[in-house]
Amino acid sequence: MNPFWSQIARELSPYVPGEQPRILNLVKLNTNESPFGPSPLALEAMRNAATDTLRLYPDPEATELREALAVHHGIKPEQVFVGNGSDEVLAHVFVALLKQPKPLLFPDVTYSFYPVWAQLFGLACETVPLDGAMRIRVEDYQREAGSIVIANPNAPTGVALSRAEITRLLEDHPDIPVVIDEAYVDFGGESSVPLIADHPNLLVVQTMSKSRALAGLRIGYALGDVGLIEALHRVKNSFNSYPLGRVAQAGATASVRDEAYFRESYARVVAGREAMTRELIRLGFAVLPSSANFVFARHPALGGSEFAAALREHAVLVRHFNKPRTSPYLRITVGTEDDAQRLIAAAAHILGHE
Ligand SMILES: Cc1ncc(COP(=O)(O)O)c(C=O)c1O
């Protein structure tokens, strides 16, 4: 260990992102990116923004983007906060809202960045086990807490809670911040955005990395009561005034305005998910019901770690989480039709189904 490290750096256990290999002709189904490109209008807007004006700092408030998001979601621009990927937005949320004297609750199986931020920012937290079917049960959150964060659909399971279940959670906890991370909601989940009007403690976080195919641009945002959004601005302006550059703001704004392309591309992903799920079930996989752009699947014949390694030998990359409850599973991103065929052919070969 380097002697110049602070105590904070020494004690961290950082999040490990999915591999971004530089191998050609790989079927990359490990980081839940979109198999289709971003809106052509977004690409054009970014090309147009790459001019001499880049010498100037961007709008620190990302006004146009926030206005476009407000129109898309039917709320006011003051209810929108944007950041450099929803990871950055969530990090600010941990500091601005979730850090309370009582513990933060989240599921035992969920986005693995939550415990990392909790450690970085010194939050006490308690995990709430998923049930035997790997579902979140909102009744299990009926206990004393300082705050709650839930990914809906959950990651890496893909299983979604209904809006009625989220309403029940909010009714049980009117006095603490409740954050719903909707990174995958556009692929079939029920968004909690309509609940914002009646719940000043609800913050909904979304991203443009998945359904808008802009993971490389890094755009995330939060929607909620103006009081919650103000807290996020206070933290952001104590950290980085300009998290989104000019090109990113232009591309993201054009993407939000291109409703037709957005609808078409998430519908294609949903169709791909259903087709891939049918094929996996045919090969004997147990697949959790997914409302996301990935599935969480296990096979009785082979452990998750062995299966992921065998698929890698066939140049197919999927994600495996080596924790007790998740280790039998593979998390497989929905790709193109061709990706799905190569995945299924490789899995069939591994299982000796030929
Ligand atoms: C549940 C969940 N939340 C947030 C994120 C972060 O997404 P981004 O920082 O690309 O917006 C991810 C990324 O995989 C995720 O799975």
Side-chain angles (χ1 to χ4, degrees):
M1 195 171 301
N2 185 292
F4 302 116
W5 285 14
S6 69
Q7 190 178 342
I8 295 176
R10 268 184 267 142
E11 289 174 358
L12 291 176
S13 337
Y15 175 75
V16 183
E19 194 183 343
Q20 294 291 353
R22 297 189 175 205
I23 308 165
L24 288 177
N25 206 20
L26 197 76
V27 180
K28 190 174 177 304
L29 304 176
N30 66 329
T31 48
N32 297 344
E33 288 139 332
S34 169
F36 311 115
S39 151
L41 297 182
L43 296 177
E44 190 190 330
M46 287 190 272
R47 278 191 291 269
N48 293 341
T51 67
D52 180 52
T53 55
L54 284 176
R55 68 194 175 77
L56 300 171
Y57 282 106
D59 173 6
E61 309 300 336
T63 312
E64 253 199 292
L65 173 58
R66 286 178 33 248
E67 282 169 2
L69 285 166
V71 170
H72 178 75
H73 289 287
I75 56 175
K76 291 186 285 187
E78 306 80 64
Q79 294 181 288
V80 182
F81 175 84
V82 296
N84 196 262
S86 60
D87 279 342
E88 185 188 72
V89 173
L90 285 162
H92 291 336
V93 169
F94 269 63
V95 178
L97 302 171
L98 297 178
K99 185 166 181 169
Q100 300 290 342
K102 288 184 189 155
L104 163 68
L105 304 184
F106 54 81
D108 63 339
V109 177
T110 191
Y111 187 32
S112 31
F113 227 134
Y114 300 157
V116 175
W117 287 312
Q119 191 200 13
L120 174 62
F121 300 124
L123 278 77
C125 46
E126 283 175 17
T127 56
V128 181
L130 300 185
D131 70 9
M134 302 292 269
R135 289 184 55 87
I136 294 170
R137 282 165 29 109
V138 290
E139 311 81 281
D140 296 342
Y141 289 74
Q142 281 170 348
R143 57 161 104 166
E144 253 205 301
S147 56
I148 295 175
V149 60
I150 281 181
N152 188 39
N154 197 15
T157 62
V159 179
L161 287 170
S162 66
R163 191 178 296 136
E165 287 168 297
I166 299 288
T167 304
R168 165 136 188 234
L169 180 75
L170 289 163
E171 280 166 2
D172 288 344
H173 295 282
D175 301 324
I176 60 169
V178 174
V179 174
I180 307 297
D181 175 357
E182 295 190 345
Y184 301 102
V185 78
D186 295 325
F187 303 106
E190 279 184 336
S191 176
S192 294
V193 171
L195 305 177
I196 288 172
D198 292 329
H199 298 278
N201 59 328
L202 167 65
L203 189 84
V204 177
V205 178
Q206 295 198 358
T207 177
M208 298 204 192
S209 298
K210 318 290 178 182
S211 54
R212 292 184 184 275
L214 286 171
L217 203 60
R218 311 303 300 126
I219 314 280
Y221 57 95
L223 311 169
D225 186 80
V226 284
L228 302 184
I229 299 299
E230 191 186 339
L232 295 175
H233 281 293
R234 287 169 71 87
V235 172
K236 172 238 169 194
N237 287 323
S238 308
F239 179 74
N240 178 6
S241 316
Y242 306 105
L244 297 187
R246 286 173 168 269
V247 175
Q249 290 187 30
T253 306
S255 168
V256 176
R257 290 182 180 149
D258 192 353
E259 194 72 32
Y261 184 88
F262 169 61
R263 285 175 192 274
E264 182 197 315
S265 68
Y266 71 64
R268 282 172 78 187
V269 172
V270 170
R273 179 184 71 214
E274 299 311 305
M276 182 172 84
T277 301
R278 280 194 297 274
E279 290 295 305
L280 288 169
I281 290 172
R282 206 173 48 80
L283 287 179
F285 279 90
V287 185
L288 295 185
S290 172
S291 300
N293 67 340
F294 58 85
V295 299
F296 209 45
R298 59 189 285 180
H299 199 284
L302 204 57
S305 161
E306 293 78 13
F307 218 130
L311 285 170
R312 204 173 197 293
E313 295 291 306
H314 287 75
V316 177
L317 219 56
V318 300
R319 190 101 197 249
H320 175 251
F321 295 93
N322 200 12
K323 291 266 168 66
R325 290 193 80 183
T326 51
S327 86
Y329 291 88
L330 302 174
R331 192 197 67 188
I332 311 171
T333 305
V334 178
T336 59
E337 267 178 43
D338 185 54
D339 292 337
Q341 271 169 19
R342 286 180 59 189
L343 162 79
I344 296 301
H349 184 85
I350 292 162
L351 293 165
H353 279 219
E354 282 147 321

